[in-house]
Amino acid sequence: RQYFLYWKSWHDELLNFLSESMNHKKQLDCIREATKNLQQLLPLLRQDKQKKLDDYISQMIELESSIANDAAGGRIAQNRLAAERLRMNILRDFSYNKIKPL
């Protein structure tokens, strides 16, 4: 639960920085921390859930790359939409009641 809460708070902060701030360094810090917390959650899940979470981690890494290559902020709306979609999907598939211990 702790890693999930850490991921959620970093992801929420990312969305905040993608909407109201052009602090590129902070955007990258947020996406990296959010991804790191999902990666730490991975070994704690059953194998079927690990595969699904691994797909989301790959999408987070792609989003990080997109943010890193957008220092001018021309794709900020697309990056925010991708981040919102990822957040919604992860919350849907990994809510507390859907996750069972190993």
Side-chain angles (χ1 to χ4, degrees):
R1 287 183 181 213
Q2 212 171 10
Y3 290 128
F4 186 78
L5 287 174
Y6 291 154
W7 160 79
K8 188 177 180 302
S9 65
W10 279 108
H11 204 99
D12 289 344
E13 192 168 340
L14 170 66
L15 288 171
N16 188 35
F17 276 98
L18 283 172
S19 64
E20 61 185 47
S21 171
M22 273 304 301
N23 189 338
H24 190 249
K25 184 176 187 260
K26 188 63 175 174
Q27 292 170 2
L28 288 172
D29 287 345
C30 290
I31 188 76
R32 288 177 182 145
E33 287 296 321
T35 303
K36 180 179 82 171
N37 282 291
L38 285 182
Q39 289 169 332
Q40 290 174 327
L41 177 63
L42 195 61
L44 304 174
L45 301 174
R46 291 189 330 232
Q47 194 163 6
D48 60 326
K49 289 291 186 180
Q50 283 181 355
K51 184 180 181 328
K52 187 70 174 166
L53 185 59
D54 200 35
D55 291 340
Y56 289 134
I57 290 171
S58 296
Q59 291 175 36
M60 293 282 287
I61 291 169
E62 288 175 22
L63 179 58
E64 178 185 340
S65 176
S66 179
I67 291 170
N69 293 328
D70 186 37
R75 297 193 49 168
I76 199 163
Q78 293 154 322
N79 290 336
R80 179 172 171 74
L81 183 64
E84 286 174 345
R85 189 176 311 115
L86 263 169
R87 181 183 185 279
M88 180 181 62
N89 290 339
I90 292 170
L91 286 173
R92 180 194 65 220
D93 292 339
F94 293 94
S95 62
Y96 291 138
N97 58 349
K98 289 186 178 184
I99 303 300
K100 303 213 179 354
L102 286 171

